[in-house]
Amino acid sequence: MKLPYAWLWVSTLLCSPLGFAEAADQTVSGKVTNIELSVSKAMAAFQVPGIAVAIIKDNEVVLSKGFGVLQQGSKEKVTADTLFGIASNTKAMTVALLAALVDEGKLTWKTKVIDIIPAFQLPDAYVTREFTIIDLLSHNSGLGLGAGDLMIWPETTLSNQDVIKGLKYLPQVSSFRSEFAYDNLMYVIAGEVIAKLTGKPWQEVIQHRIFEPLGMDNTRATFSLIPKSNKNVARAHVLLKGELQVIGGNFLEKFSSAGSVASSVNDMALWLKAQLNLGQYGVDGDKALRLFSEQQSREMWQARTLLPVSPQASEQDKTHFYAYALGWFVKDYHGVKVVRHTGGILGMVSKVVMVPEENLAMVILTNQQSGFAFNALSQQILTEYLELPEKDWVAHYARLQQKDNANKKAQLAKVAAAADKSSTPSLPLASYAQSYVDDWYGEIAISLENNHLVMQFANTPALHGTLAHYQHNTFIVRWDDRTLEADAYVNFNLNPDGSISYVSMKAVSWATDFSFDFHDLKLWPKSAGK
């Protein structure tokens, strides 16, 4: 009778002079080697100049390392202390601050937002009255995907108070608490709640209540707070026509509590240890130190807003539920609960994944906006530590990228082919050149320069571009900054007398980032005095 393979492996260990400890070390070393090889493959496959990765297993950091360079063409290496924008991975930190305030009795998860910020107002009066802290964090407001993000992205002159004033003018697209729609503005409001209850700006509170206690010495609430002496900061990169472009700025300063933190994998490893330890982060004598209680940890990881599970995920990943919790996405994956989030700014994306049952966590930071790269690496790490069947995840996501690029190209070709090239604008170009106003965003100017229409968003310097005639009374605005990849239709709707009634906008490509919510704008001629 043949012995099972597992017993053969164990019996070999018992007879081996290496013993269990050294064999376990070799197993860990093998996993790390496979992961590092995957990082190199991903960087090549997806043209990512620099990546940093940290893995925590059983309360130990088994890998914390940088790969590649800070900037394409430079010699400065990415290290485990290199700062990247973590973008929406900031949200879990903002929720943790609120959890600590719940522990202190300064609010509850069911506290009404208007009880703390009376100026808070949504389109529906009932929703405004009933909106709780949990609703603020669960992406179930009834507003659309990325609603109002143009008030904070690209970098604007608007304040958080302007954001609060604009909320009531945003279109409601679903019933309250009925559907998931990712919404950054609600997390900006969450930062205002923290500021109101503590009497200090969110940037100060997160520094004193999370970064300092955990020893996250290099992490800052925004890029502008990074000391100028610290040169170990990744540069953002965008792929344009197959070539990497280095970009500067656009680091989500106005996203604040929704996505402005700059951190490193060394520092993020400290944050993830505290998460896995249910808020505990150290020992002072015999007393455990805590960011938040174990009860609040459970609250933060509890499913709140359900998302659909695709047949593919159900079959391949053994996923039966998928939901948003508080600052985290949660789902089951091959029999274990996974808690995760991603983050993206122009030219940088990141991913954090935890498997609490396995006491496993990872963080992947990159200086190029390829989500295919971090997905391939996170899947490889899960495959290694959950001991799943081997798969070439880099090759898998490379195929998906190829398909995605083909779809984008085909869609843009379809847009070009669909235009009625014989049509002309109904009005002289000078008639379109006016100042327009949207209730939630503010003013947008269209001017006539050298016989071309030019658009400028008054509160957003980066949104400056030239309008090219598409067909009839529809133009396409092509932004001067091509790295935005957010060209949009501009459609002029006319009154019966031929004057302009209002202007609507919509992104040309389905691949445009959802934070460019041009479709929520309704621009009225300022001269009409609406």
mmCIF file of all heavy atoms in Angstrom, residues 204-251:
data_model
loop_
_atom_site.group_PDB
_atom_site.id
_atom_site.type_symbol
_atom_site.label_atom_id
_atom_site.label_comp_id
_atom_site.label_asym_id
_atom_site.label_seq_id
_atom_site.Cartn_x
_atom_site.Cartn_y
_atom_site.Cartn_z
ATOM 1 N N GLU A 204 -3.925 66.132 10.369
ATOM 2 C CA GLU A 204 -3.254 66.071 11.676
ATOM 3 C C GLU A 204 -3.706 64.845 12.466
ATOM 4 O O GLU A 204 -2.895 64.183 13.123
ATOM 5 C CB GLU A 204 -3.552 67.342 12.487
ATOM 6 C CG GLU A 204 -2.832 68.581 11.997
ATOM 7 C CD GLU A 204 -3.053 69.760 12.934
ATOM 8 O OE1 GLU A 204 -3.308 69.523 14.147
ATOM 9 O OE2 GLU A 204 -2.986 70.901 12.468
ATOM 10 N N VAL A 205 -4.984 64.552 12.399
ATOM 11 C CA VAL A 205 -5.524 63.431 13.185
ATOM 12 C C VAL A 205 -4.912 62.109 12.724
ATOM 13 O O VAL A 205 -4.491 61.283 13.550
ATOM 14 C CB VAL A 205 -7.061 63.388 13.078
ATOM 15 C CG1 VAL A 205 -7.613 62.191 13.868
ATOM 16 C CG2 VAL A 205 -7.676 64.682 13.594
ATOM 17 N N ILE A 206 -4.828 61.893 11.419
ATOM 18 C CA ILE A 206 -4.279 60.621 10.935
ATOM 19 C C ILE A 206 -2.788 60.517 11.253
ATOM 20 O O ILE A 206 -2.280 59.430 11.543
ATOM 21 C CB ILE A 206 -4.543 60.445 9.414
ATOM 22 C CG1 ILE A 206 -4.323 58.979 9.014
ATOM 23 C CG2 ILE A 206 -3.680 61.378 8.570
ATOM 24 C CD1 ILE A 206 -4.794 58.662 7.605
ATOM 25 N N GLN A 207 -2.095 61.639 11.246
ATOM 26 C CA GLN A 207 -0.676 61.632 11.602
ATOM 27 C C GLN A 207 -0.486 61.221 13.063
ATOM 28 O O GLN A 207 0.359 60.373 13.377
ATOM 29 C CB GLN A 207 -0.076 63.023 11.367
ATOM 30 C CG GLN A 207 1.395 63.159 11.732
ATOM 31 C CD GLN A 207 2.319 62.428 10.778
ATOM 32 O OE1 GLN A 207 2.047 62.324 9.588
ATOM 33 N NE2 GLN A 207 3.412 61.900 11.304
ATOM 34 N N HIS A 208 -1.298 61.801 13.952
ATOM 35 C CA HIS A 208 -1.123 61.566 15.392
ATOM 36 C C HIS A 208 -1.757 60.264 15.882
ATOM 37 O O HIS A 208 -1.283 59.676 16.855
ATOM 38 C CB HIS A 208 -1.703 62.740 16.187
ATOM 39 C CG HIS A 208 -0.985 64.045 15.932
ATOM 40 N ND1 HIS A 208 0.380 64.139 15.857
ATOM 41 C CD2 HIS A 208 -1.455 65.303 15.727
ATOM 42 C CE1 HIS A 208 0.730 65.396 15.624
ATOM 43 N NE2 HIS A 208 -0.365 66.125 15.538
ATOM 44 N N ARG A 209 -2.791 59.795 15.185
ATOM 45 C CA ARG A 209 -3.532 58.637 15.692
ATOM 46 C C ARG A 209 -3.206 57.336 14.972
ATOM 47 O O ARG A 209 -3.546 56.269 15.471
ATOM 48 C CB ARG A 209 -5.039 58.901 15.613
ATOM 49 C CG ARG A 209 -5.532 59.893 16.663
ATOM 50 C CD ARG A 209 -7.045 59.888 16.685
ATOM 51 N NE ARG A 209 -7.547 60.691 17.804
ATOM 52 C CZ ARG A 209 -8.482 60.297 18.641
ATOM 53 N NH1 ARG A 209 -9.006 59.091 18.515
ATOM 54 N NH2 ARG A 209 -8.907 61.082 19.595
ATOM 55 N N ILE A 210 -2.566 57.422 13.802
ATOM 56 C CA ILE A 210 -2.208 56.187 13.091
ATOM 57 C C ILE A 210 -0.718 56.149 12.768
ATOM 58 O O ILE A 210 -0.007 55.230 13.193
ATOM 59 C CB ILE A 210 -3.037 56.015 11.800
ATOM 60 C CG1 ILE A 210 -4.504 55.759 12.156
ATOM 61 C CG2 ILE A 210 -2.500 54.842 10.965
ATOM 62 C CD1 ILE A 210 -5.416 55.531 10.961
ATOM 63 N N PHE A 211 -0.212 57.134 12.047
ATOM 64 C CA PHE A 211 1.177 57.066 11.594
ATOM 65 C C PHE A 211 2.171 57.054 12.749
ATOM 66 O O PHE A 211 3.082 56.217 12.790
ATOM 67 C CB PHE A 211 1.493 58.238 10.653
ATOM 68 C CG PHE A 211 0.582 58.343 9.459
ATOM 69 C CD1 PHE A 211 0.399 59.560 8.810
ATOM 70 C CD2 PHE A 211 -0.094 57.228 8.965
ATOM 71 C CE1 PHE A 211 -0.429 59.665 7.710
ATOM 72 C CE2 PHE A 211 -0.936 57.333 7.859
ATOM 73 C CZ PHE A 211 -1.105 58.555 7.232
ATOM 74 N N GLU A 212 2.011 57.963 13.694
ATOM 75 C CA GLU A 212 2.971 58.043 14.805
ATOM 76 C C GLU A 212 2.904 56.834 15.734
ATOM 77 O O GLU A 212 3.950 56.251 16.060
ATOM 78 C CB GLU A 212 2.780 59.355 15.564
ATOM 79 C CG GLU A 212 3.237 60.570 14.762
ATOM 80 C CD GLU A 212 2.953 61.890 15.468
ATOM 81 O OE1 GLU A 212 2.472 61.870 16.635
ATOM 82 O OE2 GLU A 212 3.198 62.947 14.859
ATOM 83 N N PRO A 213 1.731 56.408 16.188
ATOM 84 C CA PRO A 213 1.689 55.228 17.070
ATOM 85 C C PRO A 213 2.269 53.970 16.427
ATOM 86 O O PRO A 213 2.952 53.190 17.096
ATOM 87 C CB PRO A 213 0.191 55.054 17.356
ATOM 88 C CG PRO A 213 -0.403 56.398 17.149
ATOM 89 C CD PRO A 213 0.393 57.014 16.047
ATOM 90 N N LEU A 214 2.009 53.773 15.133
ATOM 91 C CA LEU A 214 2.490 52.565 14.465
ATOM 92 C C LEU A 214 3.948 52.662 14.048
ATOM 93 O O LEU A 214 4.538 51.650 13.651
ATOM 94 C CB LEU A 214 1.637 52.275 13.228
ATOM 95 C CG LEU A 214 0.171 51.891 13.465
ATOM 96 C CD1 LEU A 214 -0.509 51.587 12.146
ATOM 97 C CD2 LEU A 214 0.070 50.695 14.400
ATOM 98 N N GLY A 215 4.531 53.839 14.131
ATOM 99 C CA GLY A 215 5.913 54.003 13.690
ATOM 100 C C GLY A 215 6.038 54.124 12.179
ATOM 101 O O GLY A 215 7.088 53.800 11.609
ATOM 102 N N MET A 216 4.975 54.587 11.522
ATOM 103 C CA MET A 216 5.007 54.805 10.070
ATOM 104 C C MET A 216 5.679 56.152 9.805
ATOM 105 O O MET A 216 5.059 57.132 9.394
ATOM 106 C CB MET A 216 3.583 54.747 9.509
ATOM 107 C CG MET A 216 2.896 53.403 9.730
ATOM 108 S SD MET A 216 1.122 53.384 9.304
ATOM 109 C CE MET A 216 1.184 53.544 7.514
ATOM 110 N N ASP A 217 6.994 56.171 10.027
ATOM 111 C CA ASP A 217 7.726 57.428 10.105
ATOM 112 C C ASP A 217 7.812 58.192 8.789
ATOM 113 O O ASP A 217 7.950 59.421 8.785
ATOM 114 C CB ASP A 217 9.144 57.168 10.630
ATOM 115 C CG ASP A 217 9.145 56.622 12.048
ATOM 116 O OD1 ASP A 217 8.149 56.858 12.764
ATOM 117 O OD2 ASP A 217 10.110 55.951 12.437
ATOM 118 N N ASN A 218 7.771 57.483 7.674
ATOM 119 C CA ASN A 218 7.900 58.161 6.382
ATOM 120 C C ASN A 218 6.555 58.514 5.754
ATOM 121 O O ASN A 218 6.498 59.271 4.784
ATOM 122 C CB ASN A 218 8.694 57.285 5.402
ATOM 123 C CG ASN A 218 10.151 57.158 5.795
ATOM 124 O OD1 ASN A 218 10.781 58.121 6.199
ATOM 125 N ND2 ASN A 218 10.689 55.944 5.711
ATOM 126 N N THR A 219 5.471 57.954 6.261
ATOM 127 C CA THR A 219 4.148 58.146 5.674
ATOM 128 C C THR A 219 3.618 59.545 5.973
ATOM 129 O O THR A 219 3.806 60.068 7.069
ATOM 130 C CB THR A 219 3.177 57.081 6.211
ATOM 131 O OG1 THR A 219 3.688 55.793 5.881
ATOM 132 C CG2 THR A 219 1.792 57.242 5.617
ATOM 133 N N ARG A 220 2.954 60.128 4.980
ATOM 134 C CA ARG A 220 2.363 61.452 5.139
ATOM 135 C C ARG A 220 0.931 61.448 4.606
ATOM 136 O O ARG A 220 0.587 60.694 3.701
ATOM 137 C CB ARG A 220 3.185 62.508 4.392
ATOM 138 C CG ARG A 220 4.580 62.724 4.952
ATOM 139 C CD ARG A 220 4.568 63.313 6.354
ATOM 140 N NE ARG A 220 5.895 63.595 6.888
ATOM 141 C CZ ARG A 220 6.660 62.744 7.557
ATOM 142 N NH1 ARG A 220 6.198 61.500 7.769
ATOM 143 N NH2 ARG A 220 7.840 63.083 7.999
ATOM 144 N N ALA A 221 0.118 62.331 5.154
ATOM 145 C CA ALA A 221 -1.293 62.397 4.763
ATOM 146 C C ALA A 221 -1.461 62.873 3.325
ATOM 147 O O ALA A 221 -2.428 62.489 2.657
ATOM 148 C CB ALA A 221 -2.062 63.316 5.706
ATOM 149 N N THR A 222 -0.551 63.688 2.840
ATOM 150 C CA THR A 222 -0.567 64.136 1.452
ATOM 151 C C THR A 222 0.870 64.255 0.954
ATOM 152 O O THR A 222 1.809 64.378 1.751
ATOM 153 C CB THR A 222 -1.245 65.516 1.291
ATOM 154 O OG1 THR A 222 -0.461 66.503 1.966
ATOM 155 C CG2 THR A 222 -2.660 65.526 1.850
ATOM 156 N N PHE A 223 1.045 64.248 -0.356
ATOM 157 C CA PHE A 223 2.374 64.377 -0.939
ATOM 158 C C PHE A 223 3.015 65.711 -0.586
ATOM 159 O O PHE A 223 4.232 65.807 -0.438
ATOM 160 C CB PHE A 223 2.304 64.224 -2.468
ATOM 161 C CG PHE A 223 2.486 62.813 -2.944
ATOM 162 C CD1 PHE A 223 1.466 61.881 -2.801
ATOM 163 C CD2 PHE A 223 3.668 62.393 -3.525
ATOM 164 C CE1 PHE A 223 1.615 60.579 -3.228
ATOM 165 C CE2 PHE A 223 3.835 61.085 -3.959
ATOM 166 C CZ PHE A 223 2.805 60.177 -3.812
ATOM 167 N N SER A 224 2.209 66.755 -0.447
ATOM 168 C CA SER A 224 2.766 68.081 -0.145
ATOM 169 C C SER A 224 3.407 68.135 1.233
ATOM 170 O O SER A 224 4.190 69.043 1.518
ATOM 171 C CB SER A 224 1.668 69.145 -0.251
ATOM 172 O OG SER A 224 0.629 68.893 0.689
ATOM 173 N N LEU A 225 3.104 67.154 2.103
ATOM 174 C CA LEU A 225 3.687 67.125 3.447
ATOM 175 C C LEU A 225 4.980 66.316 3.517
ATOM 176 O O LEU A 225 5.616 66.261 4.564
ATOM 177 C CB LEU A 225 2.669 66.535 4.437
ATOM 178 C CG LEU A 225 1.398 67.367 4.663
ATOM 179 C CD1 LEU A 225 0.396 66.600 5.529
ATOM 180 C CD2 LEU A 225 1.738 68.711 5.302
ATOM 181 N N ILE A 226 5.389 65.705 2.404
ATOM 182 C CA ILE A 226 6.652 64.958 2.394
ATOM 183 C C ILE A 226 7.804 65.945 2.483
ATOM 184 O O ILE A 226 7.859 66.907 1.710
ATOM 185 C CB ILE A 226 6.792 64.122 1.109
ATOM 186 C CG1 ILE A 226 5.655 63.099 1.003
ATOM 187 C CG2 ILE A 226 8.141 63.413 1.065
ATOM 188 C CD1 ILE A 226 5.614 62.372 -0.326
ATOM 189 N N PRO A 227 8.745 65.757 3.422
ATOM 190 C CA PRO A 227 9.883 66.680 3.516
ATOM 191 C C PRO A 227 10.655 66.742 2.198
ATOM 192 O O PRO A 227 10.850 65.723 1.529
ATOM 193 C CB PRO A 227 10.744 66.066 4.633
ATOM 194 C CG PRO A 227 9.814 65.210 5.419
ATOM 195 C CD PRO A 227 8.801 64.692 4.440
ATOM 196 N N LYS A 228 11.057 67.936 1.807
ATOM 197 C CA LYS A 228 11.782 68.090 0.540
ATOM 198 C C LYS A 228 13.112 67.336 0.564
ATOM 199 O O LYS A 228 13.661 67.017 -0.483
ATOM 200 C CB LYS A 228 12.010 69.574 0.264
ATOM 201 C CG LYS A 228 10.717 70.365 0.065
ATOM 202 C CD LYS A 228 10.948 71.574 -0.808
ATOM 203 C CE LYS A 228 9.698 72.422 -1.008
ATOM 204 N NZ LYS A 228 8.451 71.705 -1.062
ATOM 205 N N SER A 229 13.608 67.043 1.768
ATOM 206 C CA SER A 229 14.870 66.300 1.885
ATOM 207 C C SER A 229 14.705 64.826 1.532
ATOM 208 O O SER A 229 15.692 64.136 1.258
ATOM 209 C CB SER A 229 15.407 66.416 3.318
ATOM 210 O OG SER A 229 14.453 65.918 4.252
ATOM 211 N N ASN A 230 13.478 64.340 1.542
ATOM 212 C CA ASN A 230 13.225 62.930 1.212
ATOM 213 C C ASN A 230 13.087 62.794 -0.304
ATOM 214 O O ASN A 230 12.058 63.159 -0.887
ATOM 215 C CB ASN A 230 11.956 62.424 1.904
ATOM 216 C CG ASN A 230 11.750 60.922 1.702
ATOM 217 O OD1 ASN A 230 12.468 60.272 0.948
ATOM 218 N ND2 ASN A 230 10.774 60.367 2.401
ATOM 219 N N LYS A 231 14.101 62.274 -0.943
ATOM 220 C CA LYS A 231 14.095 62.106 -2.404
ATOM 221 C C LYS A 231 13.639 60.710 -2.821
ATOM 222 O O LYS A 231 13.539 60.430 -4.019
ATOM 223 C CB LYS A 231 15.499 62.358 -2.970
ATOM 224 C CG LYS A 231 16.095 63.715 -2.594
ATOM 225 C CD LYS A 231 15.248 64.865 -3.125
ATOM 226 C CE LYS A 231 15.876 66.206 -2.785
ATOM 227 N NZ LYS A 231 15.008 67.340 -3.207
ATOM 228 N N ASN A 232 13.370 59.863 -1.846
ATOM 229 C CA ASN A 232 12.973 58.484 -2.150
ATOM 230 C C ASN A 232 11.465 58.412 -2.393
ATOM 231 O O ASN A 232 10.715 57.781 -1.650
ATOM 232 C CB ASN A 232 13.393 57.556 -1.009
ATOM 233 C CG ASN A 232 13.330 56.090 -1.407
ATOM 234 O OD1 ASN A 232 13.045 55.754 -2.557
ATOM 235 N ND2 ASN A 232 13.584 55.207 -0.454
ATOM 236 N N VAL A 233 11.044 59.092 -3.453
ATOM 237 C CA VAL A 233 9.631 59.201 -3.797
ATOM 238 C C VAL A 233 9.451 58.764 -5.246
ATOM 239 O O VAL A 233 10.147 59.263 -6.141
ATOM 240 C CB VAL A 233 9.114 60.644 -3.625
ATOM 241 C CG1 VAL A 233 7.628 60.731 -3.965
ATOM 242 C CG2 VAL A 233 9.371 61.138 -2.202
ATOM 243 N N ALA A 234 8.560 57.829 -5.481
ATOM 244 C CA ALA A 234 8.330 57.326 -6.839
ATOM 245 C C ALA A 234 7.700 58.400 -7.707
ATOM 246 O O ALA A 234 6.908 59.218 -7.232
ATOM 247 C CB ALA A 234 7.433 56.092 -6.794
ATOM 248 N N ARG A 235 8.041 58.381 -8.995
ATOM 249 C CA ARG A 235 7.407 59.256 -9.978
ATOM 250 C C ARG A 235 6.324 58.470 -10.715
ATOM 251 O O ARG A 235 6.463 57.277 -10.954
ATOM 252 C CB ARG A 235 8.442 59.772 -10.987
ATOM 253 C CG ARG A 235 9.489 60.693 -10.375
ATOM 254 C CD ARG A 235 8.890 62.037 -9.957
ATOM 255 N NE ARG A 235 8.273 62.736 -11.082
ATOM 256 C CZ ARG A 235 8.939 63.508 -11.957
ATOM 257 N NH1 ARG A 235 10.259 63.646 -11.848
ATOM 258 N NH2 ARG A 235 8.293 64.123 -12.937
ATOM 259 N N ALA A 236 5.267 59.152 -11.068
ATOM 260 C CA ALA A 236 4.138 58.504 -11.738
ATOM 261 C C ALA A 236 4.392 58.374 -13.239
ATOM 262 O O ALA A 236 5.024 59.233 -13.848
ATOM 263 C CB ALA A 236 2.867 59.305 -11.491
ATOM 264 N N HIS A 237 3.889 57.277 -13.816
ATOM 265 C CA HIS A 237 4.076 57.006 -15.244
ATOM 266 C C HIS A 237 2.753 56.603 -15.894
ATOM 267 O O HIS A 237 1.954 55.880 -15.296
ATOM 268 C CB HIS A 237 5.079 55.872 -15.465
ATOM 269 C CG HIS A 237 6.457 56.151 -14.957
ATOM 270 N ND1 HIS A 237 6.777 56.111 -13.619
ATOM 271 C CD2 HIS A 237 7.607 56.482 -15.616
ATOM 272 C CE1 HIS A 237 8.073 56.396 -13.475
ATOM 273 N NE2 HIS A 237 8.581 56.615 -14.669
ATOM 274 N N VAL A 238 2.563 57.072 -17.128
ATOM 275 C CA VAL A 238 1.391 56.723 -17.924
ATOM 276 C C VAL A 238 1.858 56.205 -19.276
ATOM 277 O O VAL A 238 2.820 56.728 -19.853
ATOM 278 C CB VAL A 238 0.475 57.949 -18.112
ATOM 279 C CG1 VAL A 238 -0.633 57.660 -19.113
ATOM 280 C CG2 VAL A 238 -0.132 58.384 -16.782
ATOM 281 N N LEU A 239 1.194 55.175 -19.766
ATOM 282 C CA LEU A 239 1.492 54.652 -21.099
ATOM 283 C C LEU A 239 0.667 55.402 -22.140
ATOM 284 O O LEU A 239 -0.565 55.415 -22.079
ATOM 285 C CB LEU A 239 1.142 53.163 -21.173
ATOM 286 C CG LEU A 239 2.266 52.160 -20.933
ATOM 287 C CD1 LEU A 239 1.706 50.748 -20.981
ATOM 288 C CD2 LEU A 239 3.389 52.299 -21.949
ATOM 289 N N LEU A 240 1.356 56.060 -23.075
ATOM 290 C CA LEU A 240 0.684 56.738 -24.174
ATOM 291 C C LEU A 240 1.226 56.198 -25.483
ATOM 292 O O LEU A 240 2.426 56.308 -25.753
ATOM 293 C CB LEU A 240 0.909 58.252 -24.106
ATOM 294 C CG LEU A 240 0.062 59.043 -23.108
ATOM 295 C CD1 LEU A 240 0.430 60.519 -23.176
ATOM 296 C CD2 LEU A 240 -1.422 58.863 -23.386
ATOM 297 N N LYS A 241 0.337 55.587 -26.269
ATOM 298 C CA LYS A 241 0.717 55.001 -27.551
ATOM 299 C C LYS A 241 1.903 54.049 -27.394
ATOM 300 O O LYS A 241 2.832 54.046 -28.204
ATOM 301 C CB LYS A 241 1.042 56.100 -28.563
ATOM 302 C CG LYS A 241 -0.156 56.988 -28.881
ATOM 303 C CD LYS A 241 0.196 58.077 -29.878
ATOM 304 C CE LYS A 241 -1.029 58.931 -30.181
ATOM 305 N NZ LYS A 241 -0.719 60.044 -31.135
ATOM 306 N N GLY A 242 1.872 53.278 -26.298
ATOM 307 C CA GLY A 242 2.893 52.271 -26.074
ATOM 308 C C GLY A 242 4.159 52.764 -25.431
ATOM 309 O O GLY A 242 5.056 51.969 -25.129
ATOM 310 N N GLU A 243 4.272 54.084 -25.199
ATOM 311 C CA GLU A 243 5.480 54.654 -24.609
ATOM 312 C C GLU A 243 5.186 55.202 -23.221
ATOM 313 O O GLU A 243 4.152 55.838 -22.989
ATOM 314 C CB GLU A 243 6.029 55.781 -25.492
ATOM 315 C CG GLU A 243 6.469 55.336 -26.877
ATOM 316 C CD GLU A 243 7.688 54.428 -26.846
ATOM 317 O OE1 GLU A 243 8.530 54.604 -25.946
ATOM 318 O OE2 GLU A 243 7.786 53.532 -27.701
ATOM 319 N N LEU A 244 6.129 54.967 -22.277
ATOM 320 C CA LEU A 244 5.960 55.489 -20.927
ATOM 321 C C LEU A 244 6.212 56.989 -20.880
ATOM 322 O O LEU A 244 7.201 57.478 -21.436
ATOM 323 C CB LEU A 244 6.919 54.791 -19.964
ATOM 324 C CG LEU A 244 6.507 53.427 -19.414
ATOM 325 C CD1 LEU A 244 7.615 52.856 -18.552
ATOM 326 C CD2 LEU A 244 5.212 53.519 -18.613
ATOM 327 N N GLN A 245 5.303 57.706 -20.217
ATOM 328 C CA GLN A 245 5.453 59.141 -20.010
ATOM 329 C C GLN A 245 5.527 59.400 -18.508
ATOM 330 O O GLN A 245 4.685 58.913 -17.746
ATOM 331 C CB GLN A 245 4.261 59.894 -20.594
ATOM 332 C CG GLN A 245 4.021 59.649 -22.073
ATOM 333 C CD GLN A 245 5.035 60.349 -22.947
ATOM 334 O OE1 GLN A 245 5.527 61.423 -22.604
ATOM 335 N NE2 GLN A 245 5.360 59.742 -24.077
ATOM 336 N N VAL A 246 6.539 60.155 -18.081
ATOM 337 C CA VAL A 246 6.652 60.537 -16.676
ATOM 338 C C VAL A 246 5.782 61.765 -16.449
ATOM 339 O O VAL A 246 5.820 62.721 -17.237
ATOM 340 C CB VAL A 246 8.109 60.855 -16.297
ATOM 341 C CG1 VAL A 246 8.213 61.207 -14.815
ATOM 342 C CG2 VAL A 246 9.015 59.687 -16.629
ATOM 343 N N ILE A 247 4.988 61.748 -15.413
ATOM 344 C CA ILE A 247 4.133 62.893 -15.116
ATOM 345 C C ILE A 247 4.396 63.367 -13.697
ATOM 346 O O ILE A 247 4.944 62.649 -12.862
ATOM 347 C CB ILE A 247 2.645 62.546 -15.288
ATOM 348 C CG1 ILE A 247 2.229 61.418 -14.336
ATOM 349 C CG2 ILE A 247 2.345 62.151 -16.726
ATOM 350 C CD1 ILE A 247 0.749 61.134 -14.350
ATOM 351 N N GLY A 248 3.990 64.594 -13.422
ATOM 352 C CA GLY A 248 4.160 65.159 -12.083
ATOM 353 C C GLY A 248 2.843 65.706 -11.580
ATOM 354 O O GLY A 248 1.902 65.939 -12.348
ATOM 355 N N GLY A 249 2.748 65.937 -10.287
ATOM 356 C CA GLY A 249 1.534 66.495 -9.712
ATOM 357 C C GLY A 249 0.381 65.509 -9.741
ATOM 358 O O GLY A 249 0.541 64.301 -9.850
ATOM 359 N N ASN A 250 -0.839 66.058 -9.645
ATOM 360 C CA ASN A 250 -2.066 65.249 -9.683
ATOM 361 C C ASN A 250 -2.068 64.132 -8.637
ATOM 362 O O ASN A 250 -2.453 63.001 -8.914
ATOM 363 C CB ASN A 250 -2.279 64.654 -11.081
ATOM 364 C CG ASN A 250 -2.578 65.722 -12.117
ATOM 365 O OD1 ASN A 250 -3.192 66.725 -11.809
ATOM 366 N ND2 ASN A 250 -2.131 65.503 -13.337
ATOM 367 N N PHE A 251 -1.613 64.426 -7.416
ATOM 368 C CA PHE A 251 -1.527 63.389 -6.394
ATOM 369 C C PHE A 251 -2.691 63.437 -5.398
ATOM 370 O O PHE A 251 -2.538 63.157 -4.231
ATOM 371 C CB PHE A 251 -0.188 63.493 -5.661
ATOM 372 C CG PHE A 251 0.969 62.995 -6.485
ATOM 373 C CD1 PHE A 251 2.077 63.784 -6.690
ATOM 374 C CD2 PHE A 251 0.928 61.750 -7.073
ATOM 375 C CE1 PHE A 251 3.149 63.328 -7.446
ATOM 376 C CE2 PHE A 251 1.983 61.278 -7.838
ATOM 377 C CZ PHE A 251 3.105 62.072 -8.023
#
